[in-house]
């Protein structure tokens, strides 16, 4: 019994939930009824109190003898007993009689008799009875006041009868137990009825819960309506019991097909016979009209009533769907392959060619790509335009009459391609023979195109970042089916992917052009004139992006020359700008006539300082592409044509190659030094060697050899340099031809110089005794050598310069003191010769110009040297210093001495050395 009750009350079953719901509803109804009865009883109690007090007051006010008693000498003695008797008989709290002046004549409390009462009795005093409800000290109360009138109708007294509602309600409450008893009995009867209903419902639902029944319904509905498979239930008598929407469509069933025999539904004989047959079936294919149906049939017994379930599947549509799925798979594969093929380079034209090649022949027979001219130049497209340049064509190997590559096409306003450009959408022309707008563009060419079998077109604008770059046109010809609307979405997707690649290539073309322009503006346009070397150079920017490779040739004092190559890490505008900073720094430091190792040390400190400054700047530090200058490399070489000596130092750069006059190629061993900015205070070291005259010195950046293994690259460079003697220009051409990769990944800077030597006849040198008296003899010897060189015209100026420099060297310097004259002859008639005077001593102090006072006796010699010499300066050596002055020769003469007498003495002075 308890188990059955527990099963009945279980909320896991639908019957239990219905029972509990029924029981809750009954309880609520009984509770609502009881509450209504209580409220009604309270309302009736108030109404009963009002009626009772009013009746008592009217009865007492109209009682016989009331007027006589009021007119007697002692009305209280007569009326008080009567009032108490009436009070007890009527069940009210009191019957109070007041005179019109408010004096109490009767009261339930004798102590109140004779007292004046002020109350709201004006209405009764006017002759109208009333009843009021008020909240008194005893709770909710009701009072009725009735006037007592004489024969003339004049009010002579007032009768007030109060009573509490609770007193009246006590009688009503005595009836509530009976009411609640009736409600409880009704509740028990209702619960019993609900139990019987729930028990019956439990049997019908097999104890299933609501969620299970909802799930069963959802499954049933999904099977019947959601699946793309026909479902038919047939009774054992051959009647159709149920058919879902798909089955009605496949069998073309009438609306009232249910409960009718299968053989009476107008089905094909074979289908009707198979459905009515009791035999099971598995994927039997039957012809029903123009459909091939796969039929499966199973009996429902013993899991249900005696019937059979038949499922129908349209294999015709499955075959068509399979074909469409295969097409979709091929399109997806084509998109995937196109994504891998398009954009392999950052070249606009090549990217367009890759787009055309990717769609032929899988999607179109011919593909043409037209771009706006600014896009081809890397510029921002100005917007939609009717002029485009044919950039790429693919397909129809036998030729076609479409516009060739490179031709500027001006589209007519009626051409559908322009409609696609201006509207920003693809245009489908399934049959070109009926397209008047397309044929109006070029009628004769359109006729030839149609004659060649091209019959269908999809034109898609190439849009990237909201801007039209051009158009891609897909053409079909001959036996290929015309384009359909489904093909448009694929064409748009392919064009969208290609447009991004084309725009990337366009942006790169612009950036590359800007970087190349900046790079070339920062590199030397021509090598400076000098007599120590015959030089040639090459600079080739990388295809993938301009780097920071650079080279330079800097004339130094004493007919010497410095050769420099360097490489800045990274590519683009920042690398080019950084290269310009380094080249300027090397130029500035070279004016100090520093040895190669010292110069690189100063440049290394400068790079470290720049990196520290840039890193400390918040704006620069926030830039993701800032990687600093650290890692830049440099090779600095100084060649002296007098001694033929070469001094070289490197900061992480590849060393030079030396080609001797006999064709032997050497790679001198260079001390290993870190790149610029990474020295960490370590000193740089230099290498010195002597070169025979006519040797070729080759400086290069790693872009020349980095496409190979380093050893293999150097060996290939050796082979390119070896062989018979060649001019520097011919050497550059041979090296580039042999070493240049197809697509250089890095910049290439190449500097080739063939050495010259100054002959003995061009150099004169004297040792000067450390005695001021020796100045005159040395000066005379120098004048004689100038006469031998045919430079008598400049002998006076040179004598003045030498006299000043030698005198100061003896006066302020230390031993040994030497004098050297160098005469460099013009090279090929394009470079003026020079006369260089050098005075060396063992002191490291150098002179400087300052303003001399008018009272100073001397101190103006250096001013005269600066006036007569074209250039002058100080060069330090391991044993001291050299003061040099250079005079330029024009046709063997210098104009430095002109106006000698006009120089005002006493203006400048030189300090002690």
């Amino acid at each position: 019994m308890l188990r059955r009750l527990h099963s009945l009350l279980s909320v896991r079953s639908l019957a239990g939930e219905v029972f509990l719901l029924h029981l809750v509803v009954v309880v609520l109804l009984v509770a609502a009824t009881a509450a209504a009865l209580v409220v009604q009883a309270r309302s009736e109690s108030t109404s009963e109190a009002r009626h009772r007090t009013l009746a008592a007051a009217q009865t007492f006010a109209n009682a016989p003898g009331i007027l006589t008693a009021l007119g007697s000498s002692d009305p209280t003695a007569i009326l008080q007993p009567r009032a108490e008797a009436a009070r007890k008989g009527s069940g009210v709290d009191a019957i109070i009689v007041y005179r019109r002046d408010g004096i109490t004549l009767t009261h339930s409390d004798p102590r109140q008799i004779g007292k004046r009462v002020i109350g709201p009795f004006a209405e009764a005093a006017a002759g109208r009875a009333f009843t009021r409800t008020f909240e008194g000290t005893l709770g909710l109360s009701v009072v009725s006041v009735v006037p007592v009138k004489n024969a003339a109708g004049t009010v002579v007294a007032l009768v007030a009868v109060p009573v509490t509602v609770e007193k009246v309600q006590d009688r009503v409450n005595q009836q509530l137990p009976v009411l609640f008893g009736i409600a409880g009995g009704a509740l028990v009867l209702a619960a019993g009825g609900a139990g019987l209903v729930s028990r019956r419902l439990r049997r019908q639902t097999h104890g299933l819960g609501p969620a299970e029944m909802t799930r069963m319904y959802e499954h049933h509905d999904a099977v019947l309506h959601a699946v793309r498979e026909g479902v038919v239930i047939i009774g054992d008598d051959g009647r159709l019991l149920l058919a879902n929407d798909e089955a009605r469509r496949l069998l073309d069933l009438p609306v009232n097909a249910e409960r009718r025999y299968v053989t009476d539904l107008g089905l094909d004989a074979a289908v009707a016979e198979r459905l009515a047959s009791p035999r099971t079936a598995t994927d039997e294919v039957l012809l029903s009209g123009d459909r091939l149906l796969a039929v499966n049939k199973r009996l429902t017994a013993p899991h249900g009533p005696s019937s059979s379930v038949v499922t129908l599947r349209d294999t015709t549509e499955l075959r068509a769907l399979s074909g469409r799925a295969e097409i979709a798979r091929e399109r997806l594969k084509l998109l995937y392959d196109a994504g891998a093929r398009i954009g392999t380079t950052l070249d606009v034209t090549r990217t367009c060619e890759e787009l055309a090649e990717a769609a032929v022949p899988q999607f179109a027979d011919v593909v043409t790509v037209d771009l706006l001219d600014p896009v081809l130049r890397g510029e921002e497209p100005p917007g939609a335009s009717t002029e485009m340049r044919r950039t790429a064509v693919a397909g129809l190997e036998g030729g076609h009459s479409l516009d060739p590559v490179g031709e500027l096409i001006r589209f007519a306003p009626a051409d559908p391609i322009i409609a696609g450009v201006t509207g920003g959408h693809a245009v489908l022309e399934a049959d070109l023979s009926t397209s008047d707008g397309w044929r109006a563009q070029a009628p004769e060419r359109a006729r030839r195109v149609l004659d060649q079998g091209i019959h269908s077109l999809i034109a898609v604008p190439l849009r990237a970042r909201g801007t039209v770059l051009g158009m891609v046109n897909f053409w079909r010809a001959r036996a290929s089916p015309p384009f359909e609307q489904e093909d448009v979405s694929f064409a748009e997707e392919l064009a969208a992917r290609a447009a991004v690649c084309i725009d990337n290539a366009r942006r790169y073309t612009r950036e590359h052009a800007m970087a190349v322009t900046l790079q070339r503006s920062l590199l030397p346009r021509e090598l400076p004139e000098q007599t120590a070397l015959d030089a040639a150079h090459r600079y080739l920017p990388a295809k993938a992006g301009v780097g920071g490779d650079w080279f330079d040739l800097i004339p130094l004092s004493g007919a010497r020359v410095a050769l420099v190559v360097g490489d800045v890490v990274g590519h683009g505008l920042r690398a080019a700008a950084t290269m310009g900073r380094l080249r300027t720094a090397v130029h500035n430091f070279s004016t100090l006539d520093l040895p190669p190792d010292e110069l690189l040390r100063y440049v290394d400190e400068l790079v470290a300082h720049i990196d520290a400054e840039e890193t400390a700047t918040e704006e620069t530090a926030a830039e993701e592409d800032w990687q600093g200058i650290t890692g830049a490399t440099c090779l600095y070489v100084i060649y002296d044509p007098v001694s033929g000596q070469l001094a070289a130092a490197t900061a992480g750069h590849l060393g030079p190659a030396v080609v001797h006059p006999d064709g032997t190629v050497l790679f001198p061993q260079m001390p290993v030094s870190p790149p610029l900015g990474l020295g960490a205070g370590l000193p740089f070291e230099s290498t010195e060697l002597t070169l025979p005259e006519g040797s070729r010195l080759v400086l290069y950046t790693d872009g020349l050899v980095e496409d190979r293994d380093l050893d293999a690259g150097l060996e290939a460079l050796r082979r390119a340099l070896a062989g018979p003697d060649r001019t520097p220009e011919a050497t550059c051409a041979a090296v580039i031809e042999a070493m240049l990769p197809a697509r250089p990944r890095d910049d290439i800077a190449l500097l080739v110089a063939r050495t010259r030597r100054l002959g003995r006849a061009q150099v004169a040198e004297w040792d000067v005794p450390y005695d001021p008296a020796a100045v005159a003899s040395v000066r005379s010897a120098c004048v004689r050598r100038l006469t031998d060189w045919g430079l008598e015209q400049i002998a006076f100026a040179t004598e003045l310069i030498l006299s000043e420099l030698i005198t100061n060297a003896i006066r302020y310097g230390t031993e040994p003191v030497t004098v050297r004259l160098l005469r460099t002859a013009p090279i090929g008639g394009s470079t003026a010769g020079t006369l260089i005077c050098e005075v060396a001593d063992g002191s490291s102090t150098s002179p400087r110009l300052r303003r001399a006072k008018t009272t100073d006796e001397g101190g103006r010699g250096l001013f005269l040297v600066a006036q007569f010499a074209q250039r002058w300066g100080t060069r330090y050596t391991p044993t001291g210093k050299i003061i040099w002055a250079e005079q330029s020769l024009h046709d063997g003469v210098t104009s430095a001495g002109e106006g000698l007498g006009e120089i005002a003495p006493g203006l400048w002075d030189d300090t002690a050395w």
Side-chain angles (χ1 to χ4, degrees), residues 148-235:
V148 179
K149 301 178 181 179
N150 57 14
T154 302
V155 176
V156 296
L158 301 175
V159 178
V161 179
V163 67
T164 60
V165 176
E166 183 179 0
K167 187 173 183 180
V168 179
Q169 191 174 357
D170 287 341
R171 296 185 180 181
V172 178
N173 291 341
Q174 295 175 1
Q175 300 176 1
L176 290 180
V178 179
L179 296 176
F180 285 124
I182 295 173
L187 180 60
V188 171
L189 291 176
L196 293 177
V197 172
S198 299
R199 183 178 179 184
R200 178 63 179 171
L201 184 60
R202 180 175 177 273
R203 290 180 178 179
Q204 294 293 329
T205 60
H206 301 283
L208 295 176
E212 295 171 326
M213 294 188 67
T214 301
R215 193 180 305 113
M216 287 183 62
Y217 174 77
E218 290 175 349
H219 291 174
H220 177 271
D221 187 65
V223 170
L224 291 182
H225 304 290
V227 298
R228 293 287 296 170
E229 191 166 332
V231 179
V232 176
I233 300 179
I234 303 173

Side-chain angles (χ1 to χ4, degrees), residues 441-516:
Q441 166 69 26
E444 183 60 28
R445 175 167 288 177
R447 184 188 61 79
R448 294 197 302 269
V449 169
L450 294 175
D451 291 343
Q452 289 177 340
I454 298 177
H455 56 78
S456 189
L457 164 67
I458 294 180
V460 186
L462 294 168
R463 293 173 58 89
R465 300 174 179 88
T467 304
V468 176
L469 308 176
M471 292 289 294
V472 55
N473 306 308
F474 302 94
W475 313 79
R476 281 188 178 174
R478 297 171 184 152
S480 299
F483 285 116
E484 299 177 353
Q485 193 62 40
E486 294 180 357
D487 298 319
V488 174
S489 58
F490 172 80
E492 290 178 331
E493 177 66 23
L494 182 60
R497 297 189 180 192
V500 174
C501 298
I502 293 174
D503 190 57
N504 289 339
R506 177 195 66 80
R507 291 159 65 91
Y508 168 77
T509 300
R510 181 186 60 185
E511 296 288 341
H512 187 265
M514 292 173 59
V516 168

Side-chain angles (χ1 to χ4, degrees), residues 709-782:
D709 177 76
L710 180 58
D711 293 337
L714 293 178
E715 183 59 32
L717 178 60
R718 182 194 302 273
R719 292 194 298 270
L721 293 173
D725 187 21
R726 287 177 290 205
T727 64
E729 186 66 31
T731 303
C732 286
V735 169
I736 293 300
E737 181 180 1
M739 302 291 295
L740 183 65
R743 295 191 61 82
R745 294 180 297 175
D746 197 1
D747 292 12
I748 296 176
L750 177 64
L751 182 60
V752 179
R754 183 161 55 184
T755 62
R756 296 193 184 97
R757 297 285 288 271
L758 294 182
R760 293 181 178 273
Q762 295 176 276
V763 181
E765 188 171 2
W766 298 270
D767 293 326
V768 181
Y770 198 68
D771 182 1
V775 176
S777 61
V778 174
R779 187 170 59 235
S780 299
C782 292

